[in-house]
Amino acid sequence: MSMLPPAIFLMGPTASGKTGLAVELAQRLPVELISVDSALVYRGMDIGTAKPDAATLAHAPHFLIDIIEPTQSYSAAQFRNDALRLMGEIAARGNVPLLVGGTMLYYNALQHGLNNLPEANPVVRAEIDARAERAGWPALHAELAQVDPVTALRLKPNDAQRIERALEVYHITGKPMSMLLEKDERTGLPYRLLKLALLPSDRAVLHRRIADRFDDMLTAGLLEEVTRLRHEYPALNLNLPSMRCVGYRQAWQYQDGEFDLATLREKGIAATRQLAKRQMTWLRGMDDVEELDCLETGLADKLEKRIKAFIG
């Protein structure tokens, strides 16, 4: 194990300060940054994703930011392939890959490998989405229960993204997703890992940060950003992964007159808090994670010392 090259995961919920710490560490240590964020991959989605600005990225470049259009999809499999390639290139330069972000599914795929499920098929997905538009997701959930009752049992009737994926897998392979997952064979990550999790000692403080950040996004022009995206990408719609990102869906619905500005703020903050809760639940279920208080002062110094000890 000690012969494997080192790699670092810097994980945490939204608004825990991951990016700022990573940028600081990149100035002090021989590390290169890889973004692990399913929202930062999209070009033109800057304000609502809290994307590092151009000055920050010039100072501390991040790989896997601004790599696809908002009308495109980016899977965990694509992330794993891209991250493995980049990690190899970074290690070959004598540096250490530091992966920073909050998309826990990507970390899991990278460390533990992927299942044998087929890649997404845009044609099949479009057909499923069209039927959902007509009949509603509960009807498609009932359909899934007929062909894959095991998967349907663990999904809520309105869990559009997962119902869509399960039906897509069935229509592509002719087999239930639950059956394919039973035959899963995965390959691990050929790196020696230091897994760091930034978690708040006081969740109320994190909640205040989330509210403040969402207010800052609105002030900075989140609504104008969504207007521009809808103009630049006529094919953009709420079923696409990019518009499922927290903040964007709520802004879109506000623009369509579904609720007022106060409700937009309320729904955006609530959705972000739910995201943070899911991220923290996932982190606490991971193995070999070193937890750090994201509210602690002098955290960059502490992390620098720990990483130096790890990489030797």
Side-chain angles (χ1 to χ4, degrees):
M1 188 71 177
S2 62
M3 299 298 291
L4 294 174
I8 302 157
F9 288 179
L10 183 58
M11 305 172 287
T14 187
S16 60
K18 299 179 297 295
T19 300
L21 278 170
V23 169
E24 181 70 24
L25 292 170
Q27 309 310 307
R28 305 185 185 190
L29 297 164
V31 298
E32 295 185 49
L33 307 181
I34 299 175
S35 170
V36 187
D37 191 303
S38 60
L40 295 186
V41 297
Y42 297 111
R43 300 187 193 103
M45 292 175 57
D46 303 329
I47 297 171
T49 62
K51 187 176 292 178
D53 61 25
T56 301
L57 292 175
H59 196 53
H62 290 54
F63 293 106
L64 301 186
I65 286 182
D66 290 335
I67 57 173
I68 62 170
E69 303 297 333
T71 49
Q72 297 176 304
S73 296
Y74 188 70
S75 67
Q78 288 171 294
F79 168 80
R80 189 172 199 270
N81 289 338
D82 288 342
L84 284 173
R85 172 180 53 79
L86 290 165
M87 292 171 77
E89 293 170 0
I90 291 168
R93 289 192 286 269
N95 292 326
V96 176
L98 192 159
L99 295 99
V100 56
T103 301
M104 303 306 158
L105 177 64
Y106 285 4
Y107 285 113
N108 190 63
L110 180 59
Q111 182 177 1
H112 300 294
L114 288 155
N115 52 50
N116 295 316
L117 300 181
E119 285 288 316
N121 184 308
V123 175
V124 174
R125 286 202 169 185
E127 193 274 332
I128 293 169
D129 286 341
R131 286 194 289 121
E133 191 73 28
R134 293 192 301 269
W137 286 105
L140 269 70
H141 182 266
E143 178 185 316
L144 178 64
Q146 297 297 314
V147 298
D148 188 355
V150 174
T151 299
L153 192 61
R154 64 180 178 81
L155 300 182
K156 294 180 180 178
N158 282 307
D159 192 343
Q161 193 166 357
R162 291 180 176 85
I163 294 169
E164 175 192 65
R165 178 57 174 157
L167 284 172
E168 176 188 41
V169 168
Y170 178 76
H171 288 306
I172 292 172
T173 67
K175 299 176 182 177
M177 186 166 75
S178 55
M179 179 187 296
L180 295 175
L181 290 174
E182 282 180 4
K183 300 175 181 178
D184 190 12
E185 294 180 6
R186 303 189 184 209
T187 55
L189 183 64
Y191 286 83
R192 181 168 55 91
L193 286 179
L194 174 62
K195 295 157 67 177
L196 303 168
L198 302 176
L199 294 166
S201 54
D202 185 346
R203 194 170 293 194
V205 176
L206 184 71
H207 288 171
R208 286 197 296 273
R209 283 188 182 180
I210 286 170
D212 289 344
R213 190 165 77 163
F214 196 77
D215 286 338
D216 289 343
M217 289 175 179
L218 289 173
T219 301
L222 173 60
L223 290 170
E224 290 79 3
E225 181 170 83
V226 174
T227 298
R228 176 182 53 77
L229 290 167
R230 295 179 75 166
H231 176 72
E232 289 183 11
Y233 300 96
L236 207 59
N237 63 75
L238 284 179
N239 289 319
L240 288 170
S242 62
M243 291 299 106
R244 291 175 183 159
C245 293
V246 168
Y248 288 92
R249 171 176 290 276
Q250 291 79 18
W252 186 298
Q253 291 171 316
Y254 163 76
Q255 291 181 341
D256 282 358
E258 294 187 27
F259 39 70
D260 61 17
L261 189 60
T263 305
L264 159 63
R265 178 182 182 273
E266 177 185 318
K267 286 180 174 290
I269 292 171
T272 310
R273 285 173 59 166
Q274 284 298 313
L275 170 61
K277 182 179 179 181
R278 290 193 301 272
Q279 290 168 318
M280 288 188 283
T281 298
W282 196 313
L283 279 168
R284 290 194 168 107
M286 291 177 73
D287 296 327
D288 305 320
V289 173
E290 295 184 23
E291 294 187 9
L292 300 112
D293 181 7
C294 67
L295 308 179
E296 182 180 339
T297 57
L299 197 50
D301 294 335
K302 186 174 183 178
L303 282 172
E304 179 185 8
K305 183 177 179 182
R306 178 65 186 95
I307 291 170
K308 280 182 176 177
F310 172 70
I311 63 180

